[in-house]
Amino acid sequence: MHVLGSWDREGQESAGIVTSDGESAHSLKVHKGMGLVNHVFSEDSLKKLYVSNLGIGHTRYSTSGVSVLDNCQPFVVETLHGKIAVAHNGELTNANRLRRKLMRHGVGLSTSSDSELITQLLAFTPPLEQDDTPDWVARIKNLMNETPTSYSLLMMHKDIIYAVRDPYGNRPLCIGRLVPVGDINRKGQMVYSVRRRCGQQLAIEAPVEADLVSTVPESATPAALGYAQKCGLPYIEVLCKNRYVGRTFIQPNMRLRQLGVAKKFGVLSDNFRGKRVVLIDDSIVRGNTISPIIKLLRESGAKEVHIRVASPPIKFPCYMGINIPTKEELIANKPEFHDLANYIGADSVVYLSVEGLVSSVQASIKAIQDNENSLKTNKFRAGKIGHCIACLVGEYPVELEW
């Protein structure tokens, strides 16, 4: 539960845990509910789950399917070989076709979630499989052939947990020892280090005369430190975050996001009164959060507020499991974007370029890969480095089926 609670920031709508005793194929312990982890689980409910050291958990925010109890994960279904439990992160780009295919085979679906599709596909017996010998690896391979992206998932059956990532690697999947949440590692490098390099690159691309650099806490802090270091300006905090308010971006609708912003930040006015502030944000997607923050800083005495964004403008929807469903709601596609500084109340606004983002993300990977390749023969050398930038440039890794 401690690990699951650490990931509340990735999903605040529901949470669930399924455990197995490792012996019976027909008995799984399940507890799921709407809300944050510490609201869903009590001491009594956790005691009922303690049947062994085998279990999978999930926190959810909806990108497809509605926010109701029926869509809470992990999903559990009965198969010919006992119960399986599946926890999934992502969004299937060909979900409609898969839904029709399952229904044509007589499989009923009780939810609108992509995750149930995955669960039913895994439960569906492949043509070459014998009734008394389940081949879960073959079923997983069949699933990956049926849907190329986008998912990472866990499947538990009896005493085995399978971990799966889609062929494009769009959704993160980490296997190994438990580490502090702040040390999240992707492709052999810490996310913190990547964000700091983005800030350094942003300082190269968009310097400005100012007195201090600060952050929209907390995910933008590494980028702000990198920007300050590169520009030779002091890094000083101007905002304090209310840690009892959840993430506004992953709230399921606009009204809840805006209400969340109003309660989320307080100002440290003594740190910036009468000064020119460079405020670093990790992204401006819809523009809900940044305008009230700028207003807050100005009302508290900031002389100037310059916004620097440590990522490029998001111009296209993401169909890979991130909650960006339409072009119309993105600030980069609105007429106001051409005079964004005036629209949000800033003195200037500059985003990191796509090229700057790619170079910041891939710099460390290339160094690691070059070092590893120097120790390997041609046959075993690592190949091309790939990252999805579809939401930035509109070029998707797969054909979309809608």
Side-chain angles (χ1 to χ4, degrees), residues 40-245:
V40 172
F41 296 98
S42 64
E43 187 174 343
D44 288 341
S45 63
L46 288 172
K47 284 180 180 178
K48 294 175 183 177
L49 293 169
Y50 289 155
V51 293
S52 77
N53 63 347
L54 284 169
I56 61 176
H58 189 271
T59 60
R60 181 175 190 262
Y61 86 94
S62 52
T63 56
S64 66
V66 294
S67 180
V68 295
L69 184 60
D70 285 346
N71 286 333
C72 292
Q73 296 187 49
F75 281 111
V76 177
V77 298
E78 187 82 45
T79 75
L80 282 174
H81 313 288
K83 292 181 178 179
I84 61 170
V86 174
H88 159 245
N89 171 261
E91 186 172 356
L92 305 184
T93 56
N94 60 343
N96 290 337
R97 179 171 63 82
L98 292 175
R99 193 177 297 275
R100 291 192 298 269
K101 180 176 180 177
L102 283 170
M103 288 180 172
R104 280 198 299 269
H105 283 85
V107 178
L109 298 169
S110 59
T111 76
S112 57
S113 170
D114 288 0
S115 307
E116 188 189 15
L117 288 178
I118 288 176
T119 307
Q120 293 291 2
L121 283 167
L122 289 169
F124 196 71
T125 305
L128 299 179
E129 184 179 291
Q130 301 298 316
D131 285 349
D132 58 345
T133 55
D135 188 342
W136 295 111
V137 173
R139 292 187 185 206
I140 291 169
K141 288 181 178 179
N142 180 62
L143 165 71
M144 298 178 81
N145 287 331
E146 289 279 3
T147 181
T149 194
S150 162
Y151 51 86
S152 63
L153 61 95
L154 297 173
M155 190 199 91
M156 181 171 64
H157 176 259
K158 203 173 178 181
D159 61 346
I160 299 177
I161 297 176
Y162 298 91
V164 185
R165 191 182 188 191
D166 72 64
Y168 287 88
N170 268 315
R171 307 304 301 154
L173 176 65
C174 300
I175 304 173
R177 64 184 178 87
L178 295 179
V179 296
V181 174
D183 293 337
I184 295 169
N185 192 291
R186 304 268 168 86
K187 287 185 175 289
Q189 56 182 348
M190 285 178 58
V191 172
Y192 181 98
S193 300
V194 174
R195 287 174 170 166
R196 189 173 185 120
R197 287 200 297 272
C198 286
Q200 292 170 337
Q201 180 63 30
L202 185 59
I204 294 171
E205 295 181 6
V208 63
E209 290 189 10
D211 301 306
L212 63 94
V213 177
S214 195
T215 179
V216 178
E218 294 167 333
S219 56
T221 301
L225 290 167
Y227 189 99
Q229 179 190 39
K230 197 71 175 178
C231 287
L233 292 170
Y235 169 81
I236 300 174
E237 292 185 351
V238 301
L239 296 168
C240 58
K241 185 176 180 181
N242 182 349
R243 297 179 185 275
Y244 299 98
V245 176

